[in-house]
Amino acid sequence: MRLPSFALAPLLAVTCLAAACRDEQAGPRQQAPRIPAPTRLRALEAAPADLTFRSGETFAGGAVVYLGSKVTPEKAAPGTQVRLAHYFQAVRSPPEGYGFFVHVVDPASGAMLSNADHEIQGGAAPLASWPVGKVIEDVHSVPMPGTPARVVLGFWRGNSRLPVDDANAHDGSQRMLGPPLGGAAQELPEYTVPRVSQPPTLDGVLDDAVWKQARPVVLRRSFDGSAPRLRTEARLVHDGAFLYVAFDLDDPDVWGTLRKRDDPIYEEEVVEIFLDANADGRTYNELQVSPHNVIFDAYFPARRQGMDRSWDSGMTSAVKVRGTLDDASDRDEGWSVELRIPFDRLAEVPHLPPRPGDRWRFNLYRLEHHDRRTVEGQSFSPLFVGDFHALPRFGWLVFE
């Protein structure tokens, strides 16, 4: 796991505990092109003529110029790796002690879609070492987002960022505006949740007639939307007071080692639902259940910030294992889960009970550890980045 640097915010470094950060890289990994790190600083006489994004904006009173970037290829399928090359020039001796950050963000909200922080030229070219007048090239890769995005970049030291000289050239927090990424937004899926008069019995067995009123959805790989190795089916209903969620999972080895409420069950096998009731892209709740029926729940006032594990969702749950729990020597069939979530405990619920036509943002997830090692993330709405908290990629929950 790679925790965000100050490039996110000082608060995030404190409050983004493991419980909120484990899935920053969850899901199948795409193999990034390997770019050998140079053994010494590499300087050019000029930036390439074929930049796909040109800037010329400056940092620190004109000391450092951001010339622009080249995105290769400019158009790529969501989740596939694209090569970013950034070009800078020191006009006078640059300041010391600054690290480099690169974020891929949602242009509207500034929410993080991907954290690509790294050392320039693999650590061979720290800012203070740049020769005046020469051009410094930095090359790395990021997954192409599944929604229109923007690269923002800059330099940080301690609790501050190197100032961007023109207010119109940064995002309001000293993150220099770089190239856009992504084409047309991938369509966000919707789930219409029916209102039922008779709620299901919470026993983990999905044989209640009420579940037949709900549309089944099969989760996809969170990183690229492709078919996962193991099947996960989900259904949702509500009765005005509670949201009910059912998961049915194929799993040849059902296991878990954690037993206490709010333990880091996201490090093992788990199902999850994230709910942004007022669809503001900020406040949301995260709820998880493990095969041992251990609950983790948390409230977030902003993406990955201010995580409150003292918040009690009031959720109740039941699990049924089809096999032998925690026994790797035999072959299990899978496990099923039923959740009952009180609407009146959730953050920023617009109407109680939800009105017909109300639209919430939400996502469903599964984390599977194949052979108890290789992690695969699944989701209702594919994210195309390795972050279950990618709020702009949440789907829509529509109430009947």
Side-chain angles (χ1 to χ4, degrees):
M1 178 188 74
R2 181 172 179 235
L3 291 176
S5 68
F6 166 76
L8 271 162
L11 178 63
L12 188 55
V14 175
T15 61
C16 188
L17 302 177
C21 295
R22 163 62 184 87
D23 58 7
E24 184 76 39
Q25 299 300 331
R29 300 287 185 88
Q30 296 283 333
Q31 188 64 39
R34 185 172 181 80
I35 302 170
T39 57
R40 61 180 182 177
L41 182 148
R42 181 177 64 253
L44 308 175
E45 295 300 323
D50 58 348
L51 297 182
T52 59
F53 177 80
R54 297 181 182 278
S55 175
E57 300 294 343
T58 59
F59 294 91
V64 176
V65 182
Y66 168 49
L67 300 172
S69 299
K70 182 176 180 179
V71 180
T72 310
E74 286 190 82
K75 299 184 183 299
T80 58
Q81 294 289 329
V82 294
R83 182 180 185 269
L84 299 183
H86 310 296
Y87 296 89
F88 301 91
Q89 185 178 48
V91 176
R92 60 176 183 269
S93 296
E96 296 185 356
Y98 280 87
F100 184 53
F101 69 84
V102 181
H103 299 161
V104 180
V105 302
D106 172 59
S109 66
M112 178 85 75
L113 298 177
S114 180
N115 183 345
D117 293 0
H118 62 278
E119 296 182 0
I120 291 179
Q121 294 186 14
L127 178 61
S129 70
W130 293 2
V132 172
K134 299 292 185 179
V135 172
I136 301 300
E137 177 189 56
D138 179 72
V139 179
H140 64 106
S141 62
V142 298
M144 180 65 84
T147 184
R150 189 74 184 255
V151 175
V152 291
L153 42 76
F155 304 90
W156 67 278
R157 181 178 66 188
N159 291 324
S160 64
R161 293 177 179 148
L162 192 64
V164 176
D165 296 327
D166 186 342
N168 294 319
H170 68 88
D171 69 344
S173 59
Q174 305 303 326
R175 298 192 298 185
M176 178 78 80
L177 300 178
L181 287 179
Q186 297 287 311
E187 185 176 358
L188 295 172
E190 294 187 0
Y191 187 93
T192 299
V193 54
R195 180 163 183 163
V196 297
S197 57
Q198 181 65 40
T201 300
L202 244 65
D203 56 10
V205 181
L206 309 183
D207 57 359
D208 301 82
V210 66
W211 290 124
K212 295 180 181 179
Q213 301 180 45
R215 175 173 65 93
V217 293
V218 176
L219 305 191
R220 313 294 292 177
R221 294 206 317 176
S222 60
F223 204 84
D224 59 12
S226 64
R229 288 170 58 180
L230 295 173
R231 184 174 181 273
T232 308
E233 184 178 279
R235 301 171 190 251
L236 297 91
V237 298
H238 81 100
D239 62 3
F242 298 91
L243 178 67
Y244 299 87
V245 187
F247 290 92
D248 189 63
L249 305 88
D250 293 340
D251 194 344
D253 180 23
V254 185
W255 64 281
T257 67
L258 303 170
R259 301 290 190 273
K260 297 179 182 178
R261 186 184 179 92
D262 288 335
D263 270 352
I265 57 176
Y266 44 81
E267 293 284 359
E268 299 180 345
E269 312 229 303
V270 73
V271 293
E272 307 180 7
I273 181 170
F274 284 53
L275 293 162
D276 175 7
N278 67 354
D280 67 350
R282 290 184 57 81
T283 53
Y284 61 102
N285 297 110
E286 174 183 355
L287 303 101
Q288 308 178 4
V289 177
S290 77
H292 280 278
N293 202 24
V294 175
I295 288 174
F296 172 92
D297 51 12
Y299 161 73
F300 291 83
R303 180 207 174 260
R304 288 191 173 277
Q305 296 189 38
M307 180 184 66
D308 182 2
R309 285 186 294 178
S310 69
W311 171 75
D312 183 358
S313 65
M315 179 177 70
T316 51
S317 60
V319 173
K320 178 67 174 179
V321 176
R322 301 186 299 277
T324 308
L325 188 57
D326 297 330
D327 186 353
S329 67
D330 65 357
R331 184 175 180 84
D332 303 321
E333 293 182 10
W335 52 297
S336 52
V337 185
E338 289 177 305
L339 312 178
R340 182 176 65 184
I341 304 167
F343 286 130
D344 62 4
R345 297 285 190 95
L346 297 172
E348 307 288 345
V349 175
H351 306 116
L352 286 171
R355 298 175 182 175
D358 278 0
R359 295 169 64 84
W360 296 11
R361 300 296 294 275
F362 87 116
N363 218 342
L364 303 171
Y365 298 111
R366 173 186 182 179
L367 275 172
E368 170 61 28
H369 291 64
H370 299 293
D371 301 320
R372 304 197 183 188
R373 293 189 301 273
T374 305
V375 182
E376 180 181 71
Q378 299 181 18
S379 62
F380 166 68
S381 179
L383 305 166
F384 304 108
V385 293
D387 181 8
F388 281 7
H389 296 246
L391 303 179
R393 284 299 308 167
F394 282 17
W396 290 100
L397 187 65
V398 183
F399 288 87
E400 281 191 349

